[in-house]
Amino acid sequence: MLEGDAIADDNFAHIVQDIALLNSLGVRLVIVHGARPQIDQALNVLNIKSQFHGDLRITDQAALNAVRAAIGIVKSDIEARLSVGLPNTPMHGARIRVVSGNFVTAKPKGVIDGVDFQHTGEVRRIDRQAISQQLDQGNIVLLSSCGYSPSGEMFNLAAEDVATQTAISLTAEKLILMGESEGLPATAKESDSDSSMVISQLTTDELSRIIDSLSGEHKFHALAASTAIKAHINRVHLLSYKVDGALLQELFTHEGAGTLITADDYELLRQATTEDVAGILELLTPLEEQGVLVRRSRELLETEIHRFKVIELDGMVIACAALYPYSSDLAELACVAVREEYRSGQRGDRLLNAISAQAKAEKINNLFVLTTRTAHWFMERGFSEADISALPQERQSLYNFQRNSKIFIKELK
């Protein structure tokens, strides 16, 4: 979804190129555009004063003429720009087909608090089959912030409503809402946060706790995101149309560019499986080369994979740790590793807590760890330095005196 302001922004030409690139890669795209500023401008030209009730525009017959004109102009502008394709790139001249039509059936908003909203409406139905047929043919589907009733009446709709209901109807993988802001403000979550910072990701449970503190665009987008996630859309992304490359960065990098909203924690801490072996090896190899960890072969890792827990981020293993029980009294915490670019998010603590919980569930009383570089990290988390004699006999026999690892033990309470 693109706010109406996006079409008038200087960065819109770059957004169009990104959309064209995604289409060329086979991404199935439905674009929903708003037209609020264009409608305001058309009303001013016609010398018509807009009426609002709450945050909703009351669209009478006179205002509807302005809505028709504004939506028509915006729709034509988007179609024209997409028709240019990808100038000044190796793909210049590639054919990009944009299809629009009466895919949205609308109904009147009705009378609320005694106020008749007339031609302001809401989505009644999305023609999923017709849209899917166009997507199957490689076309981009363009939807406007309007819809038509079975009797032929036109209704002015909120772009957020059209985008959300379309995503739900198509069971889309993602709903992307592009507004002026780069995402939800961090101040909504933490009162002492920098006002210029945005929340990079949160769950719908977290969103429900801050949604009442939001206003304007933030609230509109948050409500749309909540509705979509509850209807089983996997992810909703809130991005800024002002940031060049935000769309591609959000879709193709792990860091993203705005706010990602999901039903559950986007980073999944889980039991490792054999499918994680390659990812764990990729994670451990640099640390093994630096001498931080003892080298493990793929074969050994495959046989010991049941001892590992991993943190997965969008299909990539970004952290791991393992538990090796020796007796009812002692178990080793091993292979604690976090990708360098993700070491600031307390992921090591999450793994330590998960391993500790597993050990306690197995009636193990103490965890020990051998380390050459991270002694203080473990000390800060309640581990105390110990002598080699504190290790189980089996582990003492495997101790590498050349590495001279320090030994730390923590009692699990």
Side-chain angles (χ1 to χ4, degrees):
M1 186 207 78
L2 289 162
E3 296 277 13
D5 302 85
I7 287 80
D9 193 81
D10 292 339
N11 192 51
F12 185 60
H14 297 140
I15 295 174
V16 166
Q17 291 187 17
D18 292 345
I19 288 171
L21 177 60
L22 291 174
N23 175 250
S24 72
L25 294 172
V27 178
R28 294 156 62 89
L29 291 165
V30 177
I31 301 172
V32 177
H33 73 82
R36 289 189 184 105
Q38 292 84 356
I39 292 172
D40 288 337
Q41 186 177 1
L43 288 169
N44 287 335
V45 170
L46 296 172
N47 197 27
I48 299 173
K49 187 176 181 180
S50 256
Q51 297 180 58
F52 289 85
H53 181 70
D55 294 320
L56 286 175
R57 189 193 303 270
I58 299 169
T59 311
D60 58 19
Q61 187 59 51
L64 186 61
N65 294 329
V67 170
R68 282 198 181 98
I71 287 176
I73 291 170
V74 173
K75 175 174 164 294
S76 298
D77 189 13
I78 295 174
E79 290 175 342
R81 297 216 202 184
L82 283 170
S83 297
V84 175
L86 295 167
N88 303 320
T89 74
M91 292 185 63
H92 176 60
R95 179 70 175 158
I96 298 168
R97 296 188 302 272
V98 185
V99 177
S100 56
N102 58 341
F103 299 122
V104 181
T105 300
K107 61 182 179 181
K109 194 77 175 176
V111 178
I112 301 175
D113 298 329
V115 177
D116 186 354
F117 281 86
Q118 301 182 56
H119 288 279
T120 297
E122 54 190 29
V123 175
R124 178 178 178 182
R125 187 176 67 87
I126 301 293
D127 193 340
R128 173 181 178 173
Q129 183 177 2
I131 292 176
S132 296
Q133 287 173 349
Q134 295 301 326
L135 296 175
D136 289 343
Q137 295 175 39
N139 299 333
I140 293 176
V141 174
L142 178 62
L143 303 180
S144 301
S145 53
C146 67
Y148 304 91
S149 71
S151 61
E153 290 182 280
M154 178 179 175
F155 289 95
N156 182 23
L157 309 176
E160 293 87 352
D161 185 28
V162 177
T164 302
Q165 295 305 319
T166 302
I168 293 170
S169 177
L170 295 173
T171 59
E173 176 65 25
K174 299 173 182 288
L175 169 61
I176 303 169
L177 305 173
M178 300 192 76
E180 183 176 7
S181 302
E182 294 184 32
L184 297 180
T187 49
K189 199 172 183 181
E190 299 175 19
S191 58
D192 58 347
S193 297
D194 184 344
S195 60
S196 64
M197 299 293 288
V198 300
I199 301 170
S200 61
Q201 62 190 60
L202 75 169
T203 65
T204 46
D205 284 343
E206 294 172 319
L207 180 62
S208 66
R209 290 194 287 270
I210 67 169
I211 202 163
D212 288 338
S213 67
L214 302 174
S215 61
E217 175 189 284
H218 292 141
K219 189 156 193 173
F220 290 142
H221 289 190
L223 289 169
S226 180
T227 299
I229 295 292
K230 288 176 182 176
H232 307 296
I233 300 302
N234 290 336
R235 296 170 188 167
V236 178
H237 305 260
L238 309 185
L239 305 178
S240 173
Y241 57 73
K242 291 180 172 292
V243 178
D244 187 14
L247 184 59
L248 299 183
Q249 186 179 342
E250 179 71 6
L251 294 181
F252 296 118
T253 70
H254 289 288
E255 292 79 11
T259 297
L260 168 65
I261 302 170
T262 60
D264 300 310
D265 198 334
Y266 186 44
E267 291 184 9
L268 180 63
L269 194 160
R270 58 173 174 78
Q271 181 66 42
T273 68
T274 53
E275 294 180 352
D276 298 312
V277 169
I280 294 174
L281 280 173
E282 184 181 343
L283 182 62
L284 298 182
T285 299
L287 298 173
E288 292 171 351
E289 292 173 348
Q290 296 167 26
V292 177
L293 295 176
V294 176
R295 190 175 298 276
R296 280 175 166 78
S297 67
R298 175 181 285 270
E299 292 75 16
L300 178 62
L301 190 56
E302 286 177 348
T303 62
E304 296 180 343
I305 194 66
H306 63 285
R307 302 190 182 280
F308 280 75
K309 290 188 181 295
V310 296
I311 295 179
E312 175 191 336
L313 173 62
D314 201 18
M316 178 176 71
V317 173
I318 64 167
C320 69
L323 179 69
Y324 289 83
Y326 282 91
S327 67
S328 61
D329 190 56
L330 274 174
E332 181 178 6
L333 169 64
C335 293
V336 180
V338 181
R339 280 183 182 268
E340 185 175 359
E341 61 269 38
Y342 296 103
R343 288 178 187 166
S344 60
Q346 298 184 321
R347 295 172 178 89
D349 290 289
R350 290 183 64 194
L351 284 166
L352 175 58
N353 292 337
I355 291 290
S356 298
Q358 180 182 342
K360 286 194 285 187
E362 296 178 15
K363 308 300 184 185
I364 293 168
N365 299 319
N366 296 277
L367 275 184
F368 71 87
V369 63
L370 279 69
T371 181
T372 58
R373 304 279 186 89
T374 55
H376 281 265
W377 190 87
F378 288 104
M379 291 171 65
E380 290 166 3
R381 285 152 181 81
F383 284 80
S384 301
E385 191 167 2
D387 188 78
I388 187 172
S389 61
L391 298 181
Q393 192 63 44
E394 180 183 354
R395 190 64 181 85
Q396 288 183 39
S397 64
L398 297 173
Y399 183 83
N400 186 335
F401 285 93
Q402 193 171 7
R403 279 179 59 81
N404 194 29
S405 300
K406 290 184 177 293
I407 300 165
F408 292 89
I409 292 181
K410 179 181 181 179
E411 182 182 358
L412 299 177
K413 299 178 180 179

